[in-house]
Amino acid sequence: VATTAVAAAAVYYLLLNRRRKSKGRTRRITVSSLCVYPVKSCCEVEVDRAVVTPLGFEHDRAFQVVDGDGKVCTPRTKGMEKLFHVKPTVARGEGGQSVLRLECPELDEAAEVNLDEEDECRVVTVEAVDGDEVRLRDYGDGVASWLEKATGIKGCRLVAIGGDEYGRG
């Protein structure tokens, strides 16, 4: 959220100050790189451009890993550091569907999730960092098993916000 807020503030500043001059010179800001984090607390993905949505950059922190108790996982927690090793990408699959691909240097195989197949998902309630309960989409046992192998986090699940039935309770 902080990275999205900083980036959004920079874009707002650029638009607001596009025509303003400072001592007769135009002030310029250069963005040297732009990164999104499709899965919160996992590896960043550098992008050439980003679509701004009401929730921030498209695909930025759209997904989250939770533990077996439904609590948010973060690599700052002892035993969860390997989340940083998971590299997510979102792309179009061969059939045109949106696909989340997860890779990890320690594993030969990658995990792929068809994001357009909601039938494979179920609604779960998890505890947010602030203690509130949140309804999320769980992407199933296949990707959960892959994440457990990649991170060593027992019982972890891949979840995301989406659709009308999801959100804060």
Side-chain angles (χ1 to χ4, degrees), residues 64-113:
Q64 173 71 54
V65 178
V66 296
D67 66 15
D69 295 326
K71 293 187 179 167
V72 173
C73 295
T74 173
R76 292 182 300 274
T77 302
K78 186 175 172 134
M80 297 183 182
E81 301 85 356
K82 287 189 175 183
L83 279 168
F84 280 135
H85 299 199
V86 175
K87 182 173 183 174
T89 54
V90 179
R92 291 280 169 204
E94 290 178 14
Q97 74 280 16
S98 292
V99 174
L100 173 68
R101 181 177 174 84
L102 303 175
E103 296 177 284
C104 181
E106 290 86 12
L107 298 178
D108 291 333
E109 77 279 356
E112 289 191 351
V113 177

Side-chain angles (χ1 to χ4, degrees), residues 131-148:
D132 285 351
E133 287 190 347
V134 182
R135 289 180 312 280
L136 301 173
R137 178 185 297 160
D138 181 307
Y139 282 93
D141 296 337
V143 70
S145 175
W146 185 93
L147 278 166
E148 188 170 325

Side-chain angles (χ1 to χ4, degrees), residues 55-66:
L55 296 175
F57 290 138
E58 184 178 40
H59 304 304
D60 187 43
R61 294 171 183 84
F63 306 93
Q64 173 71 54
V65 178
V66 296

Side-chain angles (χ1 to χ4, degrees), residues 3-73:
T3 304
T4 302
V6 169
V11 170
Y12 177 75
Y13 177 81
L14 285 170
L15 294 173
L16 184 65
N17 292 299
R18 177 179 273 170
R19 294 188 182 105
R20 289 187 185 172
K21 305 254 182 181
S22 175
K23 297 181 183 177
R25 297 180 314 228
T26 300
R27 295 167 52 156
R28 294 182 188 258
I29 296 176
T30 303
V31 177
S32 59
S33 68
L34 182 60
C35 296
V36 295
Y37 296 79
V39 180
K40 188 174 182 336
S41 296
C42 290
C43 189
E44 78 278 358
V45 176
E46 191 166 335
V47 295
D48 295 329
R49 64 182 64 102
V51 175
V52 179
T53 73
L55 296 175
F57 290 138
E58 184 178 40
H59 304 304
D60 187 43
R61 294 171 183 84
F63 306 93
Q64 173 71 54
V65 178
V66 296
D67 66 15
D69 295 326
K71 293 187 179 167
V72 173
C73 295

Side-chain angles (χ1 to χ4, degrees), residues 124-128 130 132-136 161 166-169:
V124 295
T125 302
V126 301
E127 183 179 327
D130 62 6
D132 285 351
E133 287 190 347
V134 182
R135 289 180 312 280
L136 301 173
I161 295 173
Y166 307 94
R168 293 201 176 262

